[in-house]
């Protein structure tokens, strides 16, 4: 059985990471176009670097850890290794910390930095600013950015995701508001015989495309569904 899982910010909410569109929405105080677009970065790189530095520091806080939903997905992958793919819109590393291996972080990773000139990727746990020298080429000052997909930028892994979705027997969407594309459109790539299940606190604009909608918290409902 080929299983495709898509997760959004809702799966990390109970681990203490704020979602984007909840009351404690991340974007508050910062219009999206100021902090999550290439233009915003060009206009005010310091503001954008600090926005991600704050999120990186928060993610590395000792209190932040995978919750039972992350753990259940990692365990399920171990039991179904050959035909399983986890796609996350999240840029935290909680799936990886829980033990998930087959992960496509389609919107990038908060704990990586990328050189705009060389494309080099680095594991990055410190603050980034506009004067951070490139680790191997110090002459490249201020060329490092968060390895994160901003609005208007191409997400990662789209071909692999689409090809897997077309052949999936089960598609499980967990904790996503289904408003950001192309992630929100993955459900439409699944075949006619695919069982589509949505786990969320409430309805989303895509809920009617699912065969089953399970309403409740991810940390309770995901382990229950996968057991
Ligand atoms: C693209 C990384 C072209 C950054 C993110 C105008 C100009 C350019 C593009 C567009 C445009 N208009 C529209 C677009 C397309 C745009 C888009 O979709 N915009 C939306 C706003 C309309 N998309 C793009 O720009 C994408 N790129 O289009 O490139 C292209 C595309 C294809 C092919 C060729 C070219 C790039 C989008 C990626 C942007 N980057 N993140 C960062 O993180 O800082 S998006 C951001 O939103 C996060 O990744 C986040 O994951 C994502 C979606 O949010 P969710 O994860 O769903 O989180 P949210 O808070 O919204 O919802 C939480 C859900 O959990 C809720 O439903 C809640 O009920 C539930 N929940 C809460 N607690 C729990 C729970 N469920 C269960 N248990 C709980 N405890």
């Amino acid at each position: 059985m080929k299983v495709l899982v898509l997760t959004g910010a809702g799966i990390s909410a109970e681990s203490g990471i704020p979602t984007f569109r909840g009351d404690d929405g991340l974007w508050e105080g910062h219009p999206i176009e100021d902090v999550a677009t290439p233009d915003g970065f060009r206009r005010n790189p310091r503001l954008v670097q600090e926005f991600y530095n704050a999120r990186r520091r928060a993610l590395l806080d000792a209190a932040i850890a995978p919750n039972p939903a992350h753990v259940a997905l990692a365990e399920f992958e171990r039991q179904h290794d050959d035909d399983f793919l986890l796609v996350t819109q999240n840029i935290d590393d909680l799936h990886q910390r829980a033990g998930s291996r087959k992960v496509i972080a389609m919107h990038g990773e908060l704990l990586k930095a990328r050189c705009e000139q060389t494309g080099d990727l680095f594991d990055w746990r410190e603050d980034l600013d506009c004067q951070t020298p490139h680790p191997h080429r110090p002459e490249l000052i201020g060329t490092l950015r968060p390895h994160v997909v901003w609005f208007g930028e191409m997400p990662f892994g789209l071909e692999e995701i689409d090809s897997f979705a077309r052949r999936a027997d089960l598609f499980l969407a967990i904790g996503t508001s289904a408003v950001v594309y192309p992630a929100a459109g993955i459900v439409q790539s699944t075949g006619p015989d695919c069982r589509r299940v949505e786990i969320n606190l409430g309805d989303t604009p895509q809920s009617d495309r699912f065969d089953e909608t399970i309403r409740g918290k991810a940390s309770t409902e995901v382990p229950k569904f996968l057991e």
Side-chain angles (χ1 to χ4, degrees), residues 7-11 13-14 19-22 26-27 32 35-36 51-52 55 89-91 107 148-155 158 174-182 199-204 216-219:
T7 62
I11 199 170
E14 291 161 85
T19 63
F20 292 86
R21 295 167 182 84
L26 251 178
W27 308 111
I32 282 188
V35 288
F51 175 67
Y52 287 96
R55 290 171 67 186
Q89 299 171 86
N90 301 338
I91 62 174
H107 291 164
V148 162
V149 177
W150 286 325
F151 287 95
E153 294 186 322
M154 178 88 89
L158 294 182
I174 305 167
T176 179
S177 60
V179 297
V180 173
Y181 285 81
I199 294 180
N200 200 308
L201 294 181
D203 287 348
T204 72
K217 290 187 170 185
S219 68

Side-chain angles (χ1 to χ4, degrees), residues 31-91:
I32 282 188
E33 55 279 354
D34 286 2
V35 288
T37 61
D39 287 346
F41 185 56
R42 268 190 289 280
R43 266 199 313 273
N44 191 342
R46 198 171 305 283
L47 169 72
V48 174
Q49 297 281 32
E50 190 35 47
F51 175 67
Y52 287 96
N53 289 339
R55 290 171 67 186
R56 195 174 300 113
R57 287 193 292 266
L59 175 57
L60 294 171
D61 182 300
I64 301 289
N67 66 56
H70 298 104
V71 173
L73 284 170
E75 185 47 42
F76 186 86
E77 175 185 340
R78 270 191 287 277
Q79 290 157 9
H80 302 78
D81 180 54
D82 47 346
D83 259 349
F84 177 87
L85 178 63
L86 170 59
V87 177
T88 187
Q89 299 171 86
N90 301 338
I91 62 174

